[in-house]
Amino acid sequence: MSSDTVATVDPRLRSTTDDLGPLTRLIRPLVDAVARIRATLHAKLLAGFLIIAVLLLSMGVLSIVVLGRINAQVDALIGLNDQTMQAQEMIYAVTAQSHYRAMALLTNDPEYIDKIADAKERFTADLASVRTYAIAPPRFFDELVDTDVDYRLSSEQVTRLYRQGQTEAALALHIEQEHAISHELEDALNTFIDDSQQLVEQETASLASHRRFLTIAVASFSGGALLVALLLGAVLSWSVIRPVRRVDGALERIAGGDFETRVDVPNRDEFGTMTHNLNRTTEQLSSLYAHLETLNTSLQDTVDAKVQELERVSRLKRYLSPSVAESIVTGERDVSLAPRRKFLTTFFSDIRGFTQIAERMEPDELVEQMNAYLTEMTEIVFRNGGTLDKIVGDALMVFFGDPIPQQDHAARAVRMAFEMRERLEKLDGEWANRFKEPFRMGYGISTGWVTVGDIGSPTRIDYTVLGNEVNLASRLADHAEAGQILVTEATLEEVADLVVATPLEAISLHGVSRVVHVYAVEPRST
């Protein structure tokens, strides 16, 4: 018995050693998968701990990233609050200037002129400071600087008039220009404060969202890590406990004289080696094993033969009419499906303008019409003794003369084409109220030497024909007009007494290296 052979486990042994309990049976696929890993128990345990460590490391990295984002948002909030407070100070400086100007004009006290200058210096300093860190478009500060320059120039003019003793002129200029410009500065700064407050609200909401995400992520990772740890512990422990129980039960039965006992474990570690050696020991004590193996082999051969016979019937029914396929399988007809060269006739047909038809029709209607069309055409193929090679979309590929030899294979192909065309004309009349699009077919027929037989790979094989004549028939079908049946010169020679042929100009077909003489055929009147 080889190391890979799996012996049958005694049913009584399964009932006592393979019952993992309802909860543990849920993780049986995982237990089996871990047991089948070709590695030592030490390596499996290390891998489990490594997985948990990676989960914890991932949680730490995620926490660092989110905390970094939160710190950046906190810094942004601090900056926004700072720029709001500094903007409020700037508004106070502008308001103070207006107040000092009014007091100077009313009281004629020059001390207020100096206070105006101090307020302007504070405003300029605050403007330069806030511009270095504030979150605002650069254009805003450029406009604010320009307005402040106008304010300063207007203020200087008012001060000059005041110092010249022209108090009324100074008051008029103050009201007309200086005071109006101060309101422009205040409005701009108030807008700036409102925008800053909106940004504060947005950053606060984003900060809360990140905090929630961090909380959920940490909780999820913690719960996930705990579940993974518990799952890994259960899987690893049962991948050890199960083989131990099975080996213990097997040893008990062997001690009782049952040398047919075999231990079946999926493990590919130390337990797998141990159970393999145990199975080798009991095998040498079994006197009936060889006889049972012979019976099993004979039974398998019988099953394989029946399966091959069923597969052959199924394959032949794809290509031939059911009655012909049955006669071949039952031995009434002897055929060979091995690849070989043979003189045959190949037929192709496809629907003219099928792509445009498919675009205009609903998919379910198109499928229904195609199924009805292919059903009718397949019956005509089998009725004329054709072999249905394949259906590719709207195209039919049929050949005549194999696997059942047919001396009149060309005539069968032509008669089938006439019958298909006639039947399709009737179907179009019947389908006029059922389907929106009529089908118009082009037909191509070529006779010559081809390779025919089972062709393919061990996993997929088809009974088909290959060769230049096959390609030629396909190109003729593509070239044919709606309802036109085109044949080659070789085909015409075989069916000259059945058809009326109209020669076409010699044409060059795509994929065909030589100039081809083609004929359009119609049935000869009787």
Side-chain angles (χ1 to χ4, degrees), residues 16 76 95 209 271 325 343 364 397 399 407 443-444 447 458 465 502 512:
T16 58
T95 304
S209 175
F271 289 107
F343 191 80
D364 54 343
M397 178 180 174
F399 57 90
Q407 297 299 322
Y443 308 89
T447 301
V465 290
T502 301
V512 180

Side-chain angles (χ1 to χ4, degrees), residues 87-117:
Q88 290 172 345
E89 292 176 1
M90 293 167 68
I91 291 176
Y92 175 78
V94 173
T95 304
Q97 291 179 57
S98 296
H99 174 73
Y100 293 147
R101 177 67 69 188
M103 293 301 296
L105 293 173
L106 291 174
T107 64
N108 202 23
D109 186 354
E111 181 181 350
Y112 288 108
I113 300 300
D114 295 333
K115 292 182 178 181
I116 292 173

Side-chain angles (χ1 to χ4, degrees), residues 207-228:
L207 177 62
S209 175
H210 280 87
R211 290 180 60 186
R212 288 194 299 272
F213 173 78
L214 180 60
T215 302
I216 294 173
V218 171
S220 300
F221 266 103
S222 300
L226 177 61
L227 291 176
V228 171

Side-chain angles (χ1 to χ4, degrees), residues 307-324:
V307 170
Q308 290 178 0
E309 182 177 341
L310 291 174
E311 289 178 348
R312 193 179 187 210
V313 172
S314 178
R315 288 183 55 227
L316 288 173
K317 286 183 177 180
R318 290 172 51 194
Y319 307 108
L320 305 172
S321 65
S323 60
V324 174

Side-chain angles (χ1 to χ4, degrees), residues 488-503:
T488 61
E489 191 171 18
T491 303
L492 182 61
E493 291 177 1
E494 298 289 329
V495 299
D497 58 334
L498 299 177
V499 301
V500 175
T502 301

